[in-house]
């Protein structure tokens, strides 16, 4: 096979699988994918001059940076678990249809309902009780038919939601990751090119930011590279018989 000069300018598609090779997430909208391997040496010296080298084990990381990504990507830092229920704060403006009471929207959690005059949210609370989806004022005159009130509550949902719990009991799993790209040679021929990482574990540190100006939000996820039980670490594969 002849040696041909090639170059790359194509971000990788990322195929993430469990260590038993079961697909977890196929991700093809990254803006940048990075692979960094290090294998430093230590040296025995004589009179301060390096004489004998000892190679340290290979270490490395791979990184995915994206602005367009599936919600499931977040789950990798939390063991890949996605829950299907959730509870979260809501704020609503509700018009009273009867003196002394309000219908609270959604599935409000007991003990989480607080009512205020319209425009006074988090100010002076209207005292009362909540049961069966209805808030009843302690003093009937505090809520009047046809008037609007601001309600703060915690909504609970058992369907139609996806939730990823990030805590110290849900630890990230290790994954078998392939990064697919293409190289172009001097004759404009494209050749598929794969980098295989046998055991990659997500780091738990990541950052998110949202802004009304500038670039869209992005997420960066970094994986530490480990050696698998068979001693495999990483491979680079060029598939020349599929070149177009």
């Amino acid at each position: 096979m002849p040696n041909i000069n090639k170059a790359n300018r194509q971000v990788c598609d990322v195929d993430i699988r469990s260590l038993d090779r079961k697909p977890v997430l196929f991700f093809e909208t990254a803006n940048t994918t990075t692979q960094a391997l290090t294998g430093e040496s230590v040296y025995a010296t004589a009179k301060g001059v390096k004489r004998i080298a000892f190679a340290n084990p290979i270490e490395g990381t791979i990184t995915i940076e994206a602005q367009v990504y599936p919600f499931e990507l977040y789950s990798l830092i939390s063991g890949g678990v996605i829950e299907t229920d959730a509870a979260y704060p809501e704020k609503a403006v509700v018009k009273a249809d009867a003196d002394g009471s309000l219908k609270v929207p959604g599935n409000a959690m007991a003990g989480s309902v607080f009512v205020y005059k319209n425009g006074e949210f988090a100010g002076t609370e209207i005292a009362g009780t909540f049961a069966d989806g209805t808030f009843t004022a302690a003093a009937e005159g505090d809520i009047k038919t046809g008037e609007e009130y601001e309600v703060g509550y915690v909504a609970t949902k058992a369907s139609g939601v996806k939730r990823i719990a990030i805590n110290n009991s849900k630890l990230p799993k290790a994954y078998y990751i392939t990064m697919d790209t293409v190289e172009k040679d001097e004759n404009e021929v494209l050749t598929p090119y794969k980098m295989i990482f046998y055991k990659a574990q997500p780091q738990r540190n990541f950052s998110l930011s949202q802004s009304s100006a500038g670039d869209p939000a992005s997420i960066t996820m970094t994986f530490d590279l480990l050696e698998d039980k068979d001693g495999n670490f990483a491979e680079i594969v060029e598939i020349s018989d599929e070149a177009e």
Side-chain angles (χ1 to χ4, degrees):
M1 183 180 297
N3 293 324
I4 302 173
N5 292 327
K6 296 177 182 178
N8 177 276
R9 198 186 180 191
Q10 177 63 53
V11 67
C12 292
D13 293 337
V14 182
D15 188 336
I16 301 175
R17 306 195 181 199
S18 60
L19 295 183
D20 63 3
R21 310 304 190 255
K22 181 178 180 180
V24 173
L25 180 64
F26 185 77
F27 182 65
E28 56 185 348
T29 56
N31 289 331
T32 304
T33 49
T34 304
Q35 308 82 36
L37 303 182
T38 59
E40 296 180 353
S41 295
V42 294
Y43 301 91
T45 62
K47 294 184 177 181
V49 179
K50 295 177 181 178
R51 287 284 183 89
I52 302 172
F54 297 90
N56 283 335
I58 297 173
E59 299 178 351
T61 59
I62 56 177
T63 301
I64 301 169
E65 184 277 321
Q67 293 176 309
V68 177
Y69 48 88
F71 183 74
E72 286 76 10
L73 185 64
Y74 295 123
S75 73
L76 299 183
I77 67 169
S78 193
V81 178
I82 300 176
E83 309 286 356
T84 56
D85 63 347
Y88 47 85
E90 289 280 16
K91 175 181 175 292
V93 176
V94 181
K95 181 179 291 188
D97 54 13
D99 284 347
S101 66
L102 286 174
K103 292 291 185 183
V104 179
N107 297 316
M109 183 184 296
S112 74
V113 177
F114 300 89
V115 178
Y116 306 88
K117 290 182 179 180
N118 196 16
E120 297 183 10
F121 189 75
T124 302
E125 177 188 347
I126 296 175
T129 58
F130 174 73
D132 300 324
T134 299
F135 177 85
T136 302
E140 186 173 316
D142 285 346
I143 294 179
K144 298 178 181 178
T145 303
E147 292 191 4
E148 291 184 335
Y149 299 84
E150 293 185 271
V151 183
Y153 59 96
V154 174
T156 60
K157 295 199 71 174
S159 63
V161 294
K162 291 190 261 187
R163 174 172 62 89
I164 296 166
I166 300 173
N167 55 49
N168 288 318
S169 66
K170 294 185 182 297
L171 301 177
K173 297 178 181 178
Y175 298 95
Y176 174 85
I177 296 179
T178 304
M179 291 189 164
D180 298 340
T181 184
V182 293
E183 294 178 318
K184 181 191 288 189
D185 68 22
E186 292 173 309
N187 296 315
E188 301 297 308
V189 176
L190 299 178
T191 304
Y193 176 84
K194 295 178 180 287
M195 288 163 286
I196 300 170
F197 303 96
Y198 281 83
K199 191 174 182 180
Q201 185 159 325
Q203 295 181 1
R204 301 188 74 195
N205 51 305
F206 76 106
S207 62
L208 296 171
S209 63
Q210 297 79 36
S211 174
S212 297
D215 291 336
S218 66
I219 181 173
T220 299
M221 185 166 291
T222 301
F223 297 75
D224 292 317
L225 298 178
L226 309 173
E227 185 179 274
D228 75 1
K229 61 182 179 61
D230 298 316
N232 297 309
F233 188 77
E235 292 180 355
I236 300 174
V237 180
E238 183 182 76
I239 309 174
S240 57
D241 60 354
E242 292 185 11
E244 297 177 359

